[in-house]
């Protein structure tokens, strides 16, 4: 083998090795140096209960009761209206507590998509004859919104707040993307809903949020870690409660 050939193949090997190392590192930072992964393992039953809820599975296999869907639509509109000031509070916390300006941009992107979401709810509400005004939040929704309000308090720090924010978005992303997989029987008229949260762009945005959370958790004290995990578990429980309510079980 000519010297230059050997050199270039060695160079390639080096580059490949470096690439592998980088992607391992990337994977590591994607899951917060393992902290998020530890949580996902520890709470995996609750996590799959939130992701693979009968409500979602019934969309996926086409057996959804449309009155449940309508109930969900009206209640989720109320939730999203409450979610906006919560996200704004996370943005303020990022501005105060994070040295990384990119955090602000990711959260701002989330706010922009909420703006879009509100218009979508109005359009979808009229498509399904669901009046979005004058409906009252049901118990599970009220509880969830009260939880968001507590997280808006100034005594709750950025790490805990952004952890909850990521978990709230990730549950919807993972749930609705299940309805988009090949071979599922999601009704055509519900595809838009599933795409809203299940699409790749929303998936990328959730990955960005997860990266931020991972970075914050790596630097967090034991006390903050405990509180963040608690917030994560609370989100999962509220999400399960929200789906139950949508099914009409509460
Ligand atoms: C209940 C609930 N959880 C998460 C989201 C995601 O934005 C939503 N719209 N509603």
């Amino acid at each position: 083998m000519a010297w230059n050939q050997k050199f270039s193949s060695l160079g390639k090997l080096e580059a490949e090795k470096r690439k592998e190392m980088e992607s391992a590192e990337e994977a590591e930072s994607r899951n917060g140096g393992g902290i998020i992964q530890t949580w996902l393992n520890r709470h995996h039953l609750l996590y799959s209960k939130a992701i693979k809820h009968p409500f979602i599975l019934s969309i996926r296999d086409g057996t959804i009761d449309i009155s449940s869907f309508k109930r969900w639509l009206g209640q989720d509109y109320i939730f999203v209206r409450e979610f906006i000031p919560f996200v704004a509070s996370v943005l303020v916390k990022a501005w105060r507590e994070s040295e990384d300006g990119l955090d602000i941009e990711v959260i701002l992107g989330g706010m922009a998509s909420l703006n879009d979401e509100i218009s979508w709810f109005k359009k979808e509400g009229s498509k399904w004859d669901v009046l979005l005004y004058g409906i009252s939040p049901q118990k599970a929704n009220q509880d969830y919104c009260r939880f968001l309000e507590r997280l808006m308090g100034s005594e709750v720090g950025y790490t805990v707040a952004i952890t909850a924010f990521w978990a709230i978005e990730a549950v919807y992303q993972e749930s609705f993307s299940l309805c988009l997989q090949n071979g599922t029987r999601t009704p055509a008229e519900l595809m838009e809903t599933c795409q809203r949260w299940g699409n790749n762009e929303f998936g990328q945005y959730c990955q960005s949020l997860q990266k931020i959370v991972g970075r914050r958790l790596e630097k967090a004290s034991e006390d903050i870690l405990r509180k963040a995990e608690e917030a994560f578990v609370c989100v999962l429980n509220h999400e399960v409660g929200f789906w139950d309510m949508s099914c009409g079980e509460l």
Side-chain angles (χ1 to χ4, degrees):
M1 191 188 281
W3 180 83
N4 58 354
Q5 239 177 334
K6 196 170 169 190
F7 182 78
S8 80
S9 75
L10 265 180
K12 204 158 143 203
L13 274 179
E14 266 311 302
E16 266 166 23
K17 210 163 127 196
R18 198 170 317 132
K19 215 160 140 197
E20 269 168 29
M21 273 167 65
E22 272 166 12
S23 62
E25 238 172 61
E26 223 176 74
E28 180 89 347
S29 79
R30 248 203 313 277
N31 59 32
I35 296 169
I36 292 177
Q37 196 52 52
T38 306
W39 291 357
L40 292 172
N41 294 342
R42 196 177 290 159
H43 306 291
H44 85 101
L45 274 181
L46 179 58
Y47 191 74
S48 18
K49 235 175 128 185
I51 304 293
K52 299 179 183 167
H53 192 276
F55 180 81
I56 283 295
L57 298 180
S58 74
I59 294 181
R60 196 174 190 261
D61 66 14
T63 61
I64 175 103
D65 170 10
I66 285 303
S67 70
S68 297
F69 177 76
K70 289 183 171 188
R71 187 180 307 117
W72 167 81
L73 188 71
Q75 291 295 319
D76 210 44
Y77 175 72
I78 299 175
F79 177 83
V80 169
R81 300 233 36 137
E82 286 280 319
F83 193 49
I84 295 167
F86 165 69
V87 179
S89 80
V90 180
L91 187 83
V92 172
K93 283 168 185 164
W95 170 70
R96 288 219 173 97
E97 296 179 47
S98 171
E99 311 80 50
D100 195 332
L102 285 178
D103 289 21
I104 300 272
E105 288 173 32
V106 173
I107 302 163
L108 184 62
M111 296 219 70
S113 75
L114 283 174
N115 183 30
D116 202 52
E117 219 161 284
I118 290 293
S119 313
W120 177 82
F121 270 103
K122 289 178 182 164
K123 187 175 67 99
E124 200 68 8
S126 75
K127 168 172 152 189
W128 293 100
D129 278 326
V130 175
L131 284 177
L132 298 178
Y133 296 98
I135 39 172
S136 354
Q138 292 188 14
K139 167 93 173 45
N141 201 357
Q142 280 173 11
D143 292 347
Y144 205 171
C145 292
R146 223 172 287 142
F147 167 70
L148 289 184
E149 270 175 50
R150 279 201 301 277
L151 290 174
M152 286 186 229
S154 58
E155 70 286 0
V156 176
Y158 176 51
T159 303
V160 173
I162 189 108
T163 299
F165 180 32
W166 156 70
I168 293 169
E169 298 286 49
V171 167
Y172 259 44
Q173 202 279 326
E174 291 212 31
S175 300
F176 282 111
S177 66
L178 289 179
C179 304
L180 299 175
Q181 287 168 345
N182 284 341
T184 54
R185 297 195 183 158
T186 302
E189 62 273 26
L190 302 186
M191 278 308 268
E192 220 183 279
T193 303
C194 301
Q195 254 147 9
R196 168 148 292 278
W197 288 280
N199 77 71
N200 281 338
E201 204 188 323
F202 197 77
Q204 288 297 317
Y205 155 69
C206 290
Q207 284 290 334
S208 307
L209 284 176
Q210 185 168 331
K211 265 192 201 168
I212 296 176
V213 173
R215 252 194 4 250
R216 299 290 305 186
L217 294 176
E218 273 172 40
K219 293 187 287 183
S221 67
E222 283 299 315
D223 181 49
I224 297 294
L225 276 182
R226 199 176 36 76
K227 286 180 176 152
E229 184 173 0
E230 211 174 278
F232 170 70
V233 170
C234 271
V235 166
L236 297 181
N237 277 312
H238 282 301
E239 289 291 339
V240 173
F242 203 92
W243 295 133
D244 286 347
M245 169 196 75
S246 304
C247 288
E249 282 166 23
L250 288 172

